[in-house]
Amino acid sequence: MFLEKKTKYKKSIVCFIDILGFKEFVHDENNISAFATILGSVNQLNQFDLPSMHLKDMRFTSFSDSIVVSVPCKKAAFGKIIRTMAVISHILLEDKILFRGALTCGSLFHENNIVFGPALVEAYLLEESAVYPRIVTKEETLNACLKTCGVCDQELYPKRFHQDEDGLLSYDYLYDYFKFFYHQDAEHFEALINSLKHIKGFLRQEEIKEYPSNIMMKYRWMKSYYNRTLDKLGEHEAFDTASYKLV
């Protein structure tokens, strides 16, 4: 039997992502094909061919409203998984899907789309604390993840997280993604511009809908985060972002 021979935990960095509004989304049959394509794209991310991504040893599994991404704790593992989180966030937002997630580090089995272990349970429980469309972690997890990095990255990666009012650390996935494409070639810069237009249109469209207050607060949070990201991109990259902001 497969599990009898190969079942063994590995110390891994794990990201658990929950798709928000899943029940409403799947009840509309017009969304079935699109949603299957999205999750299929996520499952194939280990074949994603972008410069410096190097995702070959990562694992991706999607089921129901959840996505699990993991990588064994070894050299450069943390950099791989945060770049992957940025790409997944882009895939989902481009398809008008909000999400939230959590990052943990611990024991995990993740092979051939079979995934379980203490690190996954911890990520699942922590994700419920995220509330808004953010990816959260704890300081002790961040410190454990940084041990997989070189000296320079140990100084760089903590700057990609900020502490929120509830004490959790949030990964700045939008800025990381936009900055990555800003520093690529002209073709990727054009993709960045199109992405900004697309996300702006999506958030503006959702803002005028009559959602219950618990849903609307998530879109308002996302709008604020989007605008803050543009301010940061304009400040650090000398990029005029004014026309892409939401008012």
Side-chain angles (χ1 to χ4, degrees):
M1 294 292 290
F2 170 78
L3 290 180
E4 289 177 353
K5 293 180 180 179
K6 296 189 177 182
T7 304
K8 185 177 181 180
Y9 285 144
K10 292 181 181 178
K11 187 175 182 181
S12 304
I13 303 174
V14 186
C15 183
F16 176 84
I17 294 175
D18 176 57
I19 294 170
L20 301 177
F22 179 76
K23 292 179 181 178
E24 293 77 12
F25 193 89
V26 296
H27 281 169
D28 186 346
E29 291 190 2
N30 293 323
N31 294 328
I32 294 175
S33 178
F35 195 71
T37 299
I38 294 166
L39 294 185
S41 297
V42 170
N43 279 334
Q44 295 300 315
L45 268 175
N46 57 339
Q47 300 174 19
F48 204 71
D49 186 21
L50 272 179
S52 77
M53 289 294 286
H54 305 303
L55 306 182
K56 297 298 183 182
D57 58 344
M58 299 193 66
R59 300 291 182 267
F60 304 87
T61 298
S62 59
F63 52 93
S64 187
D65 59 348
S66 303
I67 298 168
V68 181
V69 184
S70 75
V71 62
C73 281
K74 55 185 180 181
K75 185 178 179 181
F78 190 39
K80 291 180 181 181
I81 204 162
I82 63 173
R83 287 193 294 269
T84 303
M85 290 190 297
V87 172
I88 290 176
S89 71
H90 172 73
I91 290 173
L92 296 177
L93 288 173
E94 282 280 294
D95 285 283
K96 303 181 180 181
I97 295 174
L98 291 187
F99 59 91
R100 65 189 183 203
L103 184 73
T104 61
C105 182
S107 298
L108 187 79
F109 177 86
H110 196 176
E111 295 288 345
N112 297 330
N113 282 329
I114 299 173
V115 56
F116 57 89
L120 178 59
V121 173
E122 182 184 355
Y124 171 79
L125 295 174
L126 183 59
E127 175 272 324
E128 293 181 333
S129 302
V131 183
Y132 301 107
R134 54 182 182 151
I135 299 174
V136 299
T137 192
K138 296 179 179 179
E139 186 172 358
E140 55 265 35
T141 299
L142 179 59
N143 291 335
C145 292
L146 288 172
K147 292 179 181 179
T148 70
C149 303
V151 175
C152 293
D153 287 340
Q154 286 181 5
E155 296 180 2
L156 174 65
Y157 288 144
K159 297 177 182 178
R160 299 181 179 183
F161 291 78
H162 62 269
Q163 190 169 44
D164 289 329
E165 294 180 357
D166 57 6
L168 293 173
L169 298 174
S170 289
Y171 169 50
D172 195 356
Y173 57 85
L174 269 185
Y175 180 68
D176 227 14
Y177 184 82
F178 289 160
K179 184 178 180 180
F180 178 82
F181 272 95
Y182 183 83
H183 289 285
Q184 300 298 316
D185 54 30
E187 181 180 350
H188 286 104
F189 182 76
E190 183 178 353
L192 165 62
I193 299 301
N194 290 333
S195 180
L196 289 172
K197 292 178 180 178
H198 196 87
I199 295 174
K200 177 183 178 180
F202 159 51
L203 294 176
R204 174 173 286 169
Q205 183 183 48
E206 297 304 309
E207 190 178 29
I208 63 175
K209 293 182 179 180
E210 296 184 0
Y211 286 120
S213 59
N214 64 319
I215 296 177
M216 185 54 67
M217 71 178 187
K218 295 179 176 66
Y219 282 107
R220 287 172 178 160
W221 184 94
M222 192 67 206
K223 173 185 174 181
S224 176
Y225 174 43
Y226 172 81
N227 281 337
R228 292 196 311 272
T229 301
L230 289 182
D231 287 339
K232 190 175 178 180
L233 189 65
E235 177 183 352
H236 293 283
E237 306 298 339
F239 173 46
D240 185 5
T241 59
S243 62
Y244 302 104
K245 293 187 70 174
L246 284 160
V247 295

